[in-house]
Each structure stands twice: as C-alpha cells, then as structure tokens.
C-alpha cells in the first residue's frame, strides 16, 4: 500500500535534480494525498513544529507535524488495531465520525451520562465540530492515513472520557494521555511545551494532580483506538472508563 518511486526512466536527465526526478514517479494513494520525499518531510516537520509551538491553536500545523513525524508510531498503532478484534473491525470498515455520519437528535436523546449524550454535550458546550478535523495529506500509506484520521476524529471523545475542556489546561492534559497511549511525537511535544503558556496556579494543579493522573491512566488503559465508539453511544461513560482502565478524573 505504500508509494514507490518509478524507475522506468533514468534520473538526472535534462539537468534536473535526482530528488525531483524521483518524486515524478510517486503516486497519489488517497484523495488529498501529497507525496513527499524524506527531505521534504523533515522541512515540513521543522516548520510546523515552530508554528505549532508559537500558536498551539494552529490545528493545521499540528496536523502536519503529526503526519510528518509519525513514521514509527503510526505502524505501531495500526498493528495494535490489527491484533484486537474491535480494532480490526474498525480498520476493515473504516467508520468516520462526522456530522454527516452522526444522528445528533438520537445522541441528544440518550440518557444522561451515556457516551453519546456526553459527547454531544461536550461539542455544544465547547462549540466544536467533528468536521473541523483535517484529512491526512502527507502520510505515504493509505492504511496509516486512516489510522491518523481515526485518531483525530476520536480526539474529542478523549476529552469526553477524560472530562477535560478545550482550554489550554485541558488540551495539555489530553496530550499527556495521548502521548502515553499513541507515542506520536506531536503529542509528546504538545505535552512538554503546552504548559509554558499556563499561569503559575494552573501549572501547580497540572504538575501535582492532572499530569500524574493522565500518565497513570495512559499507562493503565488499553488502546483507545480499539473502541468502536459508534457502537458504544448508549454505554455509560463511567462504564467505558472502567472497561478501558481510565481512572476517574480528579
């Protein structure tokens, strides 16, 4: 499933550079895919990291950083999904979490405390939409592109399960949990450098309560990508936390 350079023509003809010749033979693997060389990925990673640190709310830069630095973490996550019955079904069926696939009226009518009801409450309270998640562009493997897409689309469900808002403090806590769970460098970067914008009081709460809890939960919990959330909307949030191994929020 990976892109491969074509060697049907010799490189370096017409005086063009070797990398330019190589990129000509790479193919688009999925809609929106932009084939890139290793050097281009390094440059994109460096640029997006700088911009993401400067403005953590630049979700486009965070997305690029995740795609260009996830070469080791994404295959590992894919393998975890393949070796789990529910995760394997997700890989096979490729569900999407978008407004077009969600029955919002049904989710709003679910009992208080259920995953679906609390997820909709989170979206409404924080004024966010699942449709804001960017599609992958720079992952040169179609299956791995879906893995990172799935990670993005369940991010708001992580907020729901962890009971964290979308402010900077909440995002940093979720990033600590996701860094332990996924090993994605962008999550590690967000967890490490996100706190620099927090006040002294919030830093104290983060260091003494929230980060230790997020780390313990991340280490204790089973892989959160192995949950078919679309078939769990009726399940109580507390029950799903217990099933996954996420400790109750402090």
């Amino acid at each position: 499933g990976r892109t491969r350079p074509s060697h049907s023509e010799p490189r370096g003809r017409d005086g063009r550079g070797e990398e330019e010749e190589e990129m000509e033979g790479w193919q688009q693997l999925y809609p929106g895919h932009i084939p890139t060389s290793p050097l281009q990925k390094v440059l994109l990673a460096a640029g997006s990291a700088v911009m993401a640190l400067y403005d953590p709310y630049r979700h486009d830069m965070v997305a690029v950083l995740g795609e260009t630095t996830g070469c080791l973490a994404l295959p590992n996550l894919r393998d975890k999904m393949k070796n789990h019955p529910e995760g394997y079904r997700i890989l096979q069926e490729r569900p999407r979490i978008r407004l077009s696939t969600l029955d919002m009226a049904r989710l709003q009518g679910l009992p208080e405390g259920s995953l679906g009801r609390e997820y909709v409450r989170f979206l409404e309270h924080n004024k966010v939409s699942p449709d804001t998640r960017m599609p992958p562009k720079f992952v040169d493997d179609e299956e791995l592109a879906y893995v990172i897409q799935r990670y993005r689309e369940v991010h708001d469900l992580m907020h729901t399960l962890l009971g964290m808002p979308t402010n900077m403090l909440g995002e940093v806590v979720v990033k600590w949990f996701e860094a332990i769970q996924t090993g994605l460098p962008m999550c590690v970067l967000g967890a490490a450098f996100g706190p620099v914008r927090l006040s002294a009081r919030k830093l104290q709460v983060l260091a003494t309560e929230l980060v230790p809890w997020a780390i313990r939960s991340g280490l204790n919990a089973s892989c959160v990508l192995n949950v078919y959330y679309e078939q769990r909307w009726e399940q109580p949030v507390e029950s799903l936390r217990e099933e996954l191994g996420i400790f109750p929020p402090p």
Side-chain angles (χ1 to χ4, degrees):
R2 296 182 181 176
T3 54
R4 292 187 176 95
S6 169
H7 300 294
S8 58
E9 294 180 348
R11 298 180 186 175
R13 61 179 174 84
D14 299 331
R16 287 179 293 179
E18 181 176 322
E19 185 170 301
E20 182 180 350
E21 288 284 333
E22 182 177 333
M23 290 306 296
E24 277 190 356
W26 288 55
Q27 59 182 328
Q28 189 179 54
L29 294 175
Y30 49 85
H33 174 228
I34 302 175
T36 47
S37 69
L39 176 59
Q40 288 172 320
K41 281 185 171 60
V42 169
L43 295 175
L44 284 167
S48 59
V50 170
M51 291 303 300
L53 289 173
Y54 177 75
D55 183 1
Y57 290 103
R58 281 290 303 271
H59 299 299
D60 55 340
M61 293 293 98
V62 175
V64 172
L65 181 62
E67 293 174 31
T68 53
T69 61
C71 56
L72 297 179
L74 289 176
N76 183 48
L77 288 171
R78 186 262 315 278
D79 292 344
K80 286 183 178 180
M81 295 177 74
K82 281 188 171 181
N83 293 322
H84 186 277
E86 202 163 336
Y88 182 75
R89 282 188 55 218
I90 293 168
L91 281 178
Q92 293 298 306
E93 298 177 13
R94 306 283 180 93
R96 296 291 307 276
I97 300 178
R98 302 185 62 80
L99 291 178
S100 59
T101 65
L102 296 173
D103 186 344
M104 299 297 285
R106 172 177 169 268
L107 297 183
Q108 288 172 335
L110 290 175
E112 294 287 324
S114 64
L115 177 65
R117 182 68 190 91
E118 296 308 313
Y119 174 61
V120 171
R121 191 195 309 277
F122 169 85
L123 296 178
E124 293 174 343
H125 180 74
N126 293 282
K127 296 180 174 60
V128 294
S129 166
D131 287 358
T132 59
R133 300 302 168 189
M134 293 182 61
K137 296 180 181 179
F138 302 108
V139 179
D140 294 328
D141 182 292
E142 187 267 343
E143 191 172 47
L144 296 183
Y146 175 75
V147 172
I148 199 166
Q149 182 75 57
R150 183 67 175 176
Y151 156 74
R152 289 173 183 168
E153 292 183 356
V154 303
H155 175 75
D156 289 334
L157 283 158
M158 293 304 98
H159 277 273
T160 304
L161 284 171
L162 297 173
M164 290 294 125
T166 57
N167 58 21
M168 186 57 65
L169 181 63
E171 289 291 352
V172 169
V173 174
V174 173
K175 279 292 177 284
W176 273 99
F177 177 83
E178 291 179 339
I180 299 296
Q181 275 276 306
T182 69
L184 286 166
M186 72 162 187
C187 295
V188 176
L189 194 67
F193 291 96
V196 298
R197 294 173 177 265
L198 298 176
S199 66
R201 182 179 63 84
K202 289 182 178 179
L203 279 174
Q204 183 179 7
V205 173
L206 185 72
T208 59
E209 297 182 35
L210 296 177
V211 167
W213 164 74
I215 292 175
R216 286 193 304 115
S217 291
L219 291 171
N220 189 64
S222 56
C223 180
V224 292
L225 291 185
N226 285 334
V227 179
Y228 211 138
Y229 295 98
E230 296 88 332
Q231 299 180 357
R232 305 287 200 106
W233 294 130
E234 294 86 357
Q235 184 172 355
V237 169
E238 290 186 7
S239 169
L240 185 52
R241 280 182 190 145
E242 184 177 350
E243 178 185 334
L244 287 172
I246 297 174
F247 299 111

